[in-house]
Short mmCIF file of all heavy atoms in Angstrom, two decimals:
data_model
loop_
_atom_site.label_atom_id
_atom_site.label_comp_id
_atom_site.label_asym_id
_atom_site.label_seq_id
_atom_site.Cartn_x
_atom_site.Cartn_y
_atom_site.Cartn_z
N LEU P 1 0.86 -1.23 0.05
CA LEU P 1 0.01 -0.03 -0.07
C LEU P 1 0.90 1.21 0.01
O LEU P 1 1.81 1.33 0.80
CB LEU P 1 -0.93 -0.04 1.22
CG LEU P 1 -2.04 1.09 1.29
CD1 LEU P 1 -3.00 0.86 0.04
CD2 LEU P 1 -2.78 0.93 2.54
N LYS P 2 0.61 2.17 -0.87
CA LYS P 2 1.39 3.28 -1.02
C LYS P 2 0.55 4.59 -1.13
O LYS P 2 -0.41 4.61 -1.88
CB LYS P 2 2.28 3.23 -2.19
CG LYS P 2 3.43 4.22 -2.21
CD LYS P 2 4.72 3.79 -2.94
CE LYS P 2 4.55 3.66 -4.47
NZ LYS P 2 5.88 3.42 -5.06
N ASP P 3 0.98 5.56 -0.41
CA ASP P 3 0.20 6.84 -0.38
C ASP P 3 1.20 7.91 -0.63
O ASP P 3 2.34 7.79 -0.55
CB ASP P 3 -0.48 6.97 1.00
CG ASP P 3 -1.91 7.58 0.78
OD1 ASP P 3 -2.13 8.30 -0.21
OD2 ASP P 3 -2.75 7.29 1.70
N GLU P 4 0.57 9.14 -0.86
CA GLU P 4 1.49 10.32 -1.22
C GLU P 4 1.02 11.44 -0.36
O GLU P 4 -0.31 11.68 -0.18
CB GLU P 4 1.43 10.53 -2.64
CG GLU P 4 2.67 11.30 -3.11
CD GLU P 4 2.66 11.43 -4.67
OE1 GLU P 4 2.48 10.44 -5.36
OE2 GLU P 4 2.99 12.53 -5.08
N MET P 5 1.85 12.24 0.20
CA MET P 5 1.51 13.45 0.94
C MET P 5 2.43 14.62 0.60
O MET P 5 3.70 14.39 0.41
CB MET P 5 1.54 13.10 2.45
CG MET P 5 0.99 14.15 3.35
SD MET P 5 0.93 13.66 5.07
CE MET P 5 -0.38 12.37 5.05
N ALA P 6 1.92 15.82 0.68
CA ALA P 6 2.74 16.99 0.41
C ALA P 6 2.76 17.81 1.58
O ALA P 6 1.82 17.89 2.39
CB ALA P 6 2.11 17.74 -0.77
N PHE P 7 3.91 18.50 1.79
CA PHE P 7 4.11 19.41 2.87
C PHE P 7 4.54 20.70 2.54
O PHE P 7 5.29 20.83 1.47
CB PHE P 7 5.25 18.80 3.83
CG PHE P 7 4.93 17.43 4.27
CD1 PHE P 7 5.51 16.32 3.71
CD2 PHE P 7 4.18 17.21 5.44
CE1 PHE P 7 5.28 15.06 4.06
CE2 PHE P 7 3.94 15.81 5.80
CZ PHE P 7 4.47 14.73 5.13
N ASP P 8 4.26 21.80 3.32
CA ASP P 8 4.92 23.02 3.24
C ASP P 8 6.06 23.03 4.24
O ASP P 8 5.82 22.67 5.36
CB ASP P 8 3.93 24.18 3.53
CG ASP P 8 2.88 24.42 2.40
OD1 ASP P 8 3.43 24.60 1.23
OD2 ASP P 8 1.67 24.41 2.73
N VAL P 9 7.24 23.52 3.84
CA VAL P 9 8.35 23.39 4.70
C VAL P 9 8.93 24.86 4.83
O VAL P 9 9.00 25.69 3.92
CB VAL P 9 9.51 22.59 4.02
CG1 VAL P 9 10.73 22.54 4.95
CG2 VAL P 9 8.94 21.15 3.87
N GLY P 10 9.13 25.23 6.13
CA GLY P 10 9.76 26.53 6.37
C GLY P 10 11.10 26.38 6.95
O GLY P 10 11.60 25.37 7.57
N GLY P 11 12.03 27.36 6.66
CA GLY P 11 13.36 27.42 7.24
C GLY P 11 14.45 26.98 6.36
O GLY P 11 15.66 26.94 6.77
N MET P 12 14.11 26.64 5.14
CA MET P 12 15.23 26.16 4.18
C MET P 12 15.92 27.49 3.73
O MET P 12 15.27 28.29 3.10
CB MET P 12 14.61 25.35 3.03
CG MET P 12 14.08 24.02 3.41
SD MET P 12 13.96 22.94 1.99
CE MET P 12 12.49 23.58 1.26
N THR P 13 17.18 27.52 3.90
CA THR P 13 17.87 28.77 3.44
C THR P 13 18.93 28.47 2.29
O THR P 13 19.41 29.30 1.72
CB THR P 13 18.61 29.51 4.62
OG1 THR P 13 19.52 28.48 5.26
CG2 THR P 13 17.57 29.90 5.55
N CYS P 14 19.18 27.25 2.09
CA CYS P 14 20.06 26.87 0.89
C CYS P 14 19.59 25.52 0.33
O CYS P 14 18.86 24.75 0.95
CB CYS P 14 21.53 26.92 1.17
SG CYS P 14 22.28 25.44 1.79
N ALA P 15 20.04 25.31 -0.93
CA ALA P 15 19.49 24.10 -1.58
C ALA P 15 19.93 22.80 -0.87
O ALA P 15 19.18 21.78 -1.03
CB ALA P 15 20.05 24.06 -2.92
N ALA P 16 20.91 22.83 -0.15
CA ALA P 16 21.37 21.58 0.54
C ALA P 16 20.46 21.23 1.78
O ALA P 16 20.22 20.12 2.09
CB ALA P 16 22.79 21.72 1.11
N CYS P 17 19.69 22.29 2.26
CA CYS P 17 18.71 21.97 3.24
C CYS P 17 17.68 20.97 2.58
O CYS P 17 17.17 20.05 3.37
CB CYS P 17 17.97 23.26 3.55
SG CYS P 17 18.81 24.55 4.44
N ALA P 18 17.37 21.01 1.42
CA ALA P 18 16.43 20.19 0.76
C ALA P 18 16.92 18.79 0.82
O ALA P 18 16.06 17.87 1.04
CB ALA P 18 16.07 20.64 -0.70
N THR P 19 18.16 18.65 0.57
CA THR P 19 18.77 17.27 0.68
C THR P 19 18.70 16.74 2.09
O THR P 19 18.40 15.53 2.29
CB THR P 19 20.19 17.29 0.14
OG1 THR P 19 20.23 17.96 -1.09
CG2 THR P 19 20.82 15.93 0.03
N ASN P 20 18.96 17.62 3.08
CA ASN P 20 18.89 17.14 4.47
C ASN P 20 17.47 16.63 4.74
O ASN P 20 17.31 15.61 5.47
CB ASN P 20 19.13 18.30 5.39
CG ASN P 20 20.57 18.78 5.33
OD1 ASN P 20 21.46 17.98 4.86
ND2 ASN P 20 20.86 20.03 5.71
N ILE P 21 16.49 17.27 4.32
CA ILE P 21 15.10 16.91 4.54
C ILE P 21 14.72 15.62 3.88
O ILE P 21 14.04 14.71 4.42
CB ILE P 21 14.18 18.10 4.21
CG1 ILE P 21 14.38 19.23 5.15
CG2 ILE P 21 12.62 17.56 4.29
CD1 ILE P 21 13.74 20.50 4.89
N GLU P 22 15.16 15.50 2.58
CA GLU P 22 14.88 14.22 1.86
C GLU P 22 15.51 13.06 2.60
O GLU P 22 14.89 12.03 2.70
CB GLU P 22 15.45 14.32 0.48
CG GLU P 22 14.69 15.16 -0.46
CD GLU P 22 15.41 15.53 -1.80
OE1 GLU P 22 16.49 14.97 -2.01
OE2 GLU P 22 14.77 16.12 -2.65
N ARG P 23 16.76 13.17 3.12
CA ARG P 23 17.41 12.19 3.87
C ARG P 23 16.64 11.86 5.10
O ARG P 23 16.52 10.62 5.44
CB ARG P 23 18.85 12.61 4.22
CG ARG P 23 19.71 11.41 4.61
CD ARG P 23 21.18 11.87 4.94
NE ARG P 23 21.81 12.52 3.66
CZ ARG P 23 22.32 13.79 3.70
NH1 ARG P 23 22.28 14.41 4.83
NH2 ARG P 23 22.89 14.14 2.69
N ALA P 24 16.18 12.80 5.81
CA ALA P 24 15.49 12.61 7.09
C ALA P 24 14.25 11.78 6.83
O ALA P 24 13.80 10.95 7.68
CB ALA P 24 15.23 13.93 7.83
N LEU P 25 13.48 12.21 5.81
CA LEU P 25 12.19 11.58 5.47
C LEU P 25 12.48 10.02 4.97
O LEU P 25 11.78 9.11 5.48
CB LEU P 25 11.43 12.33 4.34
CG LEU P 25 10.92 13.59 4.86
CD1 LEU P 25 10.34 14.35 3.65
CD2 LEU P 25 9.69 13.32 5.89
N LYS P 26 13.45 9.82 4.18
CA LYS P 26 13.74 8.50 3.67
C LYS P 26 14.26 7.52 4.73
O LYS P 26 14.08 6.40 4.53
CB LYS P 26 14.72 8.58 2.45
CG LYS P 26 14.17 9.16 1.25
CD LYS P 26 15.23 9.34 0.21
CE LYS P 26 14.80 10.01 -1.07
NZ LYS P 26 15.88 10.29 -2.02
N LYS P 27 14.79 8.12 5.74
CA LYS P 27 15.26 7.35 6.90
C LYS P 27 14.08 6.71 7.69
O LYS P 27 14.36 5.68 8.40
CB LYS P 27 16.04 8.18 7.83
CG LYS P 27 17.26 7.58 8.49
CD LYS P 27 17.87 8.45 9.53
CE LYS P 27 18.70 9.61 8.97
NZ LYS P 27 19.23 10.46 10.01
N LEU P 28 12.92 7.23 7.60
CA LEU P 28 11.86 6.73 8.37
C LEU P 28 11.31 5.36 7.74
O LEU P 28 11.17 5.29 6.57
CB LEU P 28 10.59 7.61 8.25
CG LEU P 28 10.81 9.08 9.04
CD1 LEU P 28 9.69 9.97 8.69
CD2 LEU P 28 11.12 8.89 10.45
N ASP P 29 11.05 4.34 8.60
CA ASP P 29 10.54 3.16 8.16
C ASP P 29 9.11 3.43 7.61
O ASP P 29 8.35 4.01 8.29
CB ASP P 29 10.50 2.08 9.31
CG ASP P 29 10.07 0.80 8.85
OD1 ASP P 29 10.51 0.35 7.84
OD2 ASP P 29 9.30 0.16 9.64
N GLY P 30 8.92 3.04 6.43
CA GLY P 30 7.63 3.22 5.72
C GLY P 30 7.62 4.27 4.63
O GLY P 30 6.66 4.36 3.97
N VAL P 31 8.68 5.11 4.66
CA VAL P 31 8.78 6.15 3.59
C VAL P 31 9.61 5.53 2.50
O VAL P 31 10.76 5.15 2.67
CB VAL P 31 9.46 7.49 4.10
CG1 VAL P 31 9.70 8.36 2.95
CG2 VAL P 31 8.60 8.10 5.21
N SER P 32 9.07 5.41 1.30
CA SER P 32 9.74 4.72 0.07
C SER P 32 10.39 5.74 -0.74
O SER P 32 11.37 5.52 -1.44
CB SER P 32 8.87 3.92 -0.63
OG SER P 32 7.61 4.63 -0.92
N ASN P 33 9.86 7.06 -0.67
CA ASN P 33 10.63 8.09 -1.50
C ASN P 33 10.19 9.49 -1.02
O ASN P 33 9.09 9.61 -0.42
CB ASN P 33 10.22 8.03 -2.93
CG ASN P 33 11.18 8.70 -3.85
OD1 ASN P 33 12.40 8.85 -3.53
ND2 ASN P 33 10.70 9.09 -5.08
N ALA P 34 11.16 10.37 -1.09
CA ALA P 34 10.93 11.69 -0.66
C ALA P 34 11.56 12.68 -1.64
O ALA P 34 12.73 12.43 -2.02
CB ALA P 34 11.30 11.90 0.79
N SER P 35 10.96 13.78 -1.95
CA SER P 35 11.66 14.76 -2.72
C SER P 35 11.15 16.21 -2.20
O SER P 35 10.03 16.41 -1.81
CB SER P 35 11.26 14.71 -4.15
OG SER P 35 10.03 14.93 -4.44
N VAL P 36 12.19 17.09 -2.14
CA VAL P 36 11.91 18.42 -1.65
C VAL P 36 12.25 19.43 -2.63
O VAL P 36 13.25 19.31 -3.40
CB VAL P 36 12.87 18.69 -0.34
CG1 VAL P 36 12.69 20.09 0.21
CG2 VAL P 36 12.55 17.67 0.68
N ASN P 37 11.27 20.36 -2.76
CA ASN P 37 11.49 21.40 -3.86
C ASN P 37 11.92 22.70 -3.06
O ASN P 37 11.09 23.39 -2.46
CB ASN P 37 10.23 21.68 -4.58
CG ASN P 37 10.31 22.69 -5.71
OD1 ASN P 37 10.98 23.61 -5.56
ND2 ASN P 37 9.67 22.39 -6.90
N PHE P 38 13.23 23.00 -3.17
CA PHE P 38 13.68 24.20 -2.39
C PHE P 38 13.09 25.47 -2.83
O PHE P 38 12.54 26.14 -1.94
CB PHE P 38 15.33 24.23 -2.54
CG PHE P 38 15.92 25.42 -1.94
CD1 PHE P 38 15.83 25.79 -0.60
CD2 PHE P 38 16.63 26.25 -2.81
CE1 PHE P 38 16.40 26.83 -0.06
CE2 PHE P 38 17.19 27.51 -2.31
CZ PHE P 38 16.99 27.79 -0.91
N PRO P 39 13.07 25.86 -4.15
CA PRO P 39 12.40 27.27 -4.52
C PRO P 39 11.04 27.25 -4.14
O PRO P 39 10.57 28.32 -3.74
CB PRO P 39 12.75 27.16 -6.06
CG PRO P 39 13.06 25.89 -6.44
CD PRO P 39 13.67 25.22 -5.19
N MET P 40 10.30 26.09 -4.05
CA MET P 40 8.85 26.20 -3.75
C MET P 40 8.56 25.99 -2.25
O MET P 40 7.52 26.10 -1.76
CB MET P 40 8.13 25.06 -4.56
CG MET P 40 8.10 25.22 -6.04
SD MET P 40 7.11 26.64 -6.54
CE MET P 40 5.46 26.15 -6.20
N SER P 41 9.68 25.63 -1.45
CA SER P 41 9.49 25.34 -0.01
C SER P 41 8.39 24.23 0.20
O SER P 41 7.54 24.45 1.14
CB SER P 41 9.12 26.66 0.70
OG SER P 41 10.22 27.51 0.80
N THR P 42 8.42 23.24 -0.58
CA THR P 42 7.55 22.15 -0.46
C THR P 42 8.22 20.82 -0.46
O THR P 42 9.38 20.71 -0.88
CB THR P 42 6.44 22.02 -1.63
OG1 THR P 42 7.16 21.94 -2.90
CG2 THR P 42 5.61 23.29 -1.62
N ALA P 43 7.52 19.81 0.12
CA ALA P 43 8.22 18.41 0.06
C ALA P 43 6.97 17.49 -0.22
O ALA P 43 5.86 17.70 0.01
CB ALA P 43 8.69 18.04 1.43
N ARG P 44 7.38 16.29 -0.79
CA ARG P 44 6.44 15.28 -0.88
C ARG P 44 7.11 13.91 -0.62
O ARG P 44 8.24 13.72 -0.86
CB ARG P 44 5.70 15.29 -2.26
CG ARG P 44 6.61 15.31 -3.54
CD ARG P 44 5.93 14.92 -4.80
NE ARG P 44 5.70 13.50 -4.84
CZ ARG P 44 6.50 12.57 -5.08
NH1 ARG P 44 7.78 12.95 -5.33
NH2 ARG P 44 6.14 11.32 -5.18
N ALA P 45 6.24 13.07 -0.06
CA ALA P 45 6.75 11.81 0.36
C ALA P 45 5.77 10.75 -0.16
O ALA P 45 4.59 10.89 -0.19
CB ALA P 45 6.92 11.68 1.90
N GLU P 46 6.36 9.61 -0.53
CA GLU P 46 5.56 8.28 -0.78
C GLU P 46 5.82 7.46 0.45
O GLU P 46 7.01 7.20 0.78
CB GLU P 46 6.17 7.68 -2.06
CG GLU P 46 5.76 8.35 -3.37
CD GLU P 46 6.41 7.66 -4.48
OE1 GLU P 46 6.97 6.49 -4.30
OE2 GLU P 46 6.38 8.14 -5.71
N TYR P 47 4.71 6.97 0.99
CA TYR P 47 4.78 6.35 2.32
C TYR P 47 3.77 5.16 2.31
O TYR P 47 2.77 5.17 1.69
CB TYR P 47 4.75 7.38 3.40
CG TYR P 47 3.37 7.92 3.60
CD1 TYR P 47 2.50 7.54 4.44
CD2 TYR P 47 2.92 8.93 2.62
CE1 TYR P 47 1.23 8.08 4.53
CE2 TYR P 47 1.71 9.53 2.71
CZ TYR P 47 0.79 9.00 3.71
OH TYR P 47 -0.47 9.63 3.77
N ASP P 48 3.93 4.40 3.34
CA ASP P 48 2.96 3.27 3.77
C ASP P 48 2.23 3.79 4.92
O ASP P 48 2.86 3.85 6.11
CB ASP P 48 3.73 1.96 3.90
CG ASP P 48 2.75 0.87 4.32
OD1 ASP P 48 1.61 1.16 4.74
OD2 ASP P 48 3.27 -0.28 4.30
N PRO P 49 0.97 4.10 4.79
CA PRO P 49 0.23 4.70 6.02
C PRO P 49 0.13 3.63 7.06
O PRO P 49 -0.31 4.05 8.23
CB PRO P 49 -1.07 5.07 5.41
CG PRO P 49 -1.18 4.33 4.19
CD PRO P 49 0.14 4.08 3.68
N ASP P 50 0.26 2.37 6.86
CA ASP P 50 0.33 1.36 7.93
C ASP P 50 1.57 1.46 8.77
O ASP P 50 1.65 0.90 9.92
CB ASP P 50 0.14 0.02 7.48
CG ASP P 50 -1.25 -0.24 6.80
OD1 ASP P 50 -2.17 0.53 7.24
OD2 ASP P 50 -1.33 -1.14 5.88
N LYS P 51 2.63 2.09 8.26
CA LYS P 51 3.87 2.07 8.89
C LYS P 51 4.30 3.42 9.50
O LYS P 51 5.06 3.61 10.45
CB LYS P 51 4.97 1.66 8.01
CG LYS P 51 4.96 0.20 7.67
CD LYS P 51 6.14 -0.21 6.85
CE LYS P 51 6.27 -1.73 6.57
NZ LYS P 51 7.35 -2.11 5.64
N VAL P 52 3.79 4.52 8.81
CA VAL P 52 4.29 5.88 9.13
C VAL P 52 3.24 6.86 8.96
O VAL P 52 2.31 6.70 8.08
CB VAL P 52 5.60 6.27 8.42
CG1 VAL P 52 5.27 6.37 6.86
CG2 VAL P 52 6.27 7.44 8.87
N SER P 53 3.07 7.97 9.87
CA SER P 53 2.01 8.80 9.88
C SER P 53 2.52 10.15 9.45
O SER P 53 3.79 10.45 9.36
CB SER P 53 1.37 8.92 11.24
OG SER P 53 2.24 9.56 12.09
N ALA P 54 1.54 11.09 9.13
CA ALA P 54 1.95 12.43 8.90
C ALA P 54 2.64 13.06 10.02
O ALA P 54 3.61 13.73 9.87
CB ALA P 54 0.61 13.19 8.60
N ALA P 55 2.21 12.70 11.26
CA ALA P 55 2.80 13.30 12.38
C ALA P 55 4.32 12.84 12.54
O ALA P 55 5.15 13.57 12.96
CB ALA P 55 2.03 12.92 13.71
N ASP P 56 4.59 11.55 12.18
CA ASP P 56 6.01 11.06 12.24
C ASP P 56 6.88 11.85 11.24
O ASP P 56 7.95 12.15 11.46
CB ASP P 56 5.99 9.60 11.75
CG ASP P 56 5.33 8.69 12.72
OD1 ASP P 56 5.25 8.99 13.98
OD2 ASP P 56 4.73 7.67 12.34
N MET P 57 6.19 12.11 10.05
CA MET P 57 7.03 12.81 8.97
C MET P 57 7.23 14.35 9.35
O MET P 57 8.35 14.79 9.19
CB MET P 57 6.31 12.69 7.72
CG MET P 57 6.30 11.17 7.20
SD MET P 57 5.76 11.05 5.45
CE MET P 57 3.94 10.90 5.79
N LEU P 58 6.26 14.90 9.98
CA LEU P 58 6.33 16.35 10.39
C LEU P 58 7.46 16.33 11.51
O LEU P 58 8.26 17.30 11.54
CB LEU P 58 5.07 16.89 10.91
CG LEU P 58 3.99 17.09 9.85
CD1 LEU P 58 2.62 17.44 10.64
CD2 LEU P 58 4.38 18.00 8.84
N LYS P 59 7.43 15.44 12.47
CA LYS P 59 8.38 15.43 13.50
C LYS P 59 9.85 15.23 12.99
O LYS P 59 10.76 15.91 13.48
CB LYS P 59 7.98 14.30 14.45
CG LYS P 59 8.81 14.26 15.67
CD LYS P 59 8.15 13.20 16.70
CE LYS P 59 9.15 12.88 17.81
NZ LYS P 59 9.46 11.46 17.92
N ALA P 60 9.98 14.39 12.00
CA ALA P 60 11.32 14.15 11.45
C ALA P 60 11.96 15.42 10.86
O ALA P 60 13.04 15.76 10.95
CB ALA P 60 11.27 13.09 10.38
N ILE P 61 10.96 16.14 10.14
CA ILE P 61 11.46 17.46 9.62
C ILE P 61 11.73 18.49 10.65
O ILE P 61 12.73 19.12 10.59
CB ILE P 61 10.39 18.01 8.53
CG1 ILE P 61 10.14 17.06 7.52
CG2 ILE P 61 10.76 19.35 8.16
CD1 ILE P 61 8.91 17.49 6.56
N GLU P 62 10.88 18.50 11.65
CA GLU P 62 11.10 19.51 12.82
C GLU P 62 12.34 19.20 13.65
O GLU P 62 12.97 20.11 14.15
CB GLU P 62 9.75 19.61 13.66
CG GLU P 62 8.69 20.35 12.77
CD GLU P 62 7.33 20.19 13.44
OE1 GLU P 62 7.13 19.35 14.29
OE2 GLU P 62 6.42 20.84 12.84
N GLU P 63 12.55 17.98 13.81
CA GLU P 63 13.75 17.48 14.67
C GLU P 63 15.13 18.03 14.07
O GLU P 63 16.03 18.19 14.74
CB GLU P 63 13.78 15.98 14.75
CG GLU P 63 12.94 15.49 16.01
CD GLU P 63 12.90 13.94 16.01
OE1 GLU P 63 13.34 13.27 15.11
OE2 GLU P 63 12.41 13.47 17.07
N ILE P 64 15.15 18.22 12.70
CA ILE P 64 16.37 18.66 12.15
C ILE P 64 16.33 20.21 11.92
O ILE P 64 17.22 20.79 11.23
CB ILE P 64 16.79 17.84 10.86
CG1 ILE P 64 15.70 17.95 9.86
CG2 ILE P 64 17.01 16.45 11.27
CD1 ILE P 64 16.26 17.43 8.40
N GLY P 65 15.32 20.93 12.41
CA GLY P 65 15.39 22.38 12.48
C GLY P 65 14.52 23.14 11.60
O GLY P 65 14.72 24.39 11.43
N TYR P 66 13.62 22.43 10.85
CA TYR P 66 12.80 23.19 9.98
C TYR P 66 11.29 23.11 10.53
O TYR P 66 11.00 22.31 11.40
CB TYR P 66 12.73 22.49 8.56
CG TYR P 66 14.17 22.40 8.10
CD1 TYR P 66 14.86 21.18 8.20
CD2 TYR P 66 14.76 23.45 7.43
CE1 TYR P 66 16.20 21.11 7.71
CE2 TYR P 66 16.09 23.38 7.01
CZ TYR P 66 16.83 22.18 7.08
OH TYR P 66 18.12 22.06 6.70
N THR P 67 10.46 23.90 9.97
CA THR P 67 9.02 23.80 10.30
C THR P 67 8.28 23.15 9.05
O THR P 67 8.75 23.14 7.96
CB THR P 67 8.43 25.16 10.51
OG1 THR P 67 8.52 26.00 9.26
CG2 THR P 67 9.08 25.96 11.64
N ALA P 68 7.25 22.46 9.36
CA ALA P 68 6.53 21.75 8.36
C ALA P 68 5.04 21.63 8.70
O ALA P 68 4.65 21.62 9.87
CB ALA P 68 7.09 20.29 8.19
N SER P 69 4.23 21.61 7.70
CA SER P 69 2.75 21.42 7.93
C SER P 69 2.38 20.64 6.65
O SER P 69 2.94 20.65 5.55
CB SER P 69 2.05 22.68 7.99
OG SER P 69 2.21 23.50 6.91
N VAL P 70 1.22 19.87 6.80
CA VAL P 70 0.66 19.14 5.68
C VAL P 70 0.04 20.07 4.75
O VAL P 70 -0.74 21.01 5.17
CB VAL P 70 -0.36 18.18 6.24
CG1 VAL P 70 -1.01 17.42 5.05
CG2 VAL P 70 0.29 17.07 7.15
N LYS P 71 0.38 19.90 3.48
CA LYS P 71 -0.18 20.84 2.52
C LYS P 71 -1.66 20.54 2.19
O LYS P 71 -2.00 19.44 2.07
CB LYS P 71 0.63 20.70 1.11
CG LYS P 71 0.68 21.88 0.31
CD LYS P 71 1.67 21.72 -0.82
CE LYS P 71 1.71 22.80 -1.87
NZ LYS P 71 1.97 24.03 -1.22
N LYS P 72 -2.44 21.62 2.17
CA LYS P 72 -3.87 21.49 2.04
C LYS P 72 -4.30 21.43 0.50
O LYS P 72 -3.56 22.16 -0.20
CB LYS P 72 -4.69 22.47 2.70
CG LYS P 72 -4.60 22.54 4.20
CD LYS P 72 -5.43 21.40 4.82
CE LYS P 72 -4.94 21.10 6.32
NZ LYS P 72 -5.14 22.26 7.23
MO1 9UX B 1 22.72 25.22 3.70
MO2 9UX B 1 20.48 24.20 5.15
O1 9UX B 1 24.51 25.82 4.19
O2 9UX B 1 20.36 23.25 6.77
S1 9UX B 1 22.18 23.17 4.31
S2 9UX B 1 21.48 26.32 5.17
#
């Protein structure tokens, strides 16, 4: 089972920040892919909702110093 979710991300100040966030998301069990758009300040993740939640992904982004919210 695979689902997709998009986030608004705050606090990215250089393009390498996007790579940091992609790495943090992909490290979570249940996240199969993640990509961050630095100029748009957005992120998207492919994940298994049985293994990982939106809250888990937001926490992973916030733990490394950025802000995040689920994109409406
Ligand atoms: Mo760039 Mo982002 O030097 O955490 S990687 S500001």
Side-chain angles (χ1 to χ4, degrees):
L1 191 58
K2 192 152 70 172
D3 219 331
E4 203 173 311
M5 190 174 291
F7 304 95
D8 287 309
V9 178
M12 291 196 287
T13 54
C14 87
C17 291
T19 309
N20 292 340
I21 294 169
E22 287 172 358
R23 193 179 302 121
L25 288 171
K26 287 175 183 171
K27 215 188 287 178
L28 297 173
D29 186 37
V31 174
S32 49
N33 199 24
S35 65
V36 178
N37 186 321
F38 172 62
M40 295 291 290
S41 291
T42 57
R44 48 168 287 285
E46 288 176 9
Y47 66 102
D48 179 345
D50 292 333
K51 288 185 176 175
V52 68
S53 68
D56 294 330
M57 293 187 273
L58 293 174
K59 187 168 164 239
I61 297 172
E62 286 163 357
E63 270 175 353
I64 58 168
Y66 307 96
T67 61
S69 58
V70 176
K71 207 169 173 60
K72 294 287 163 61

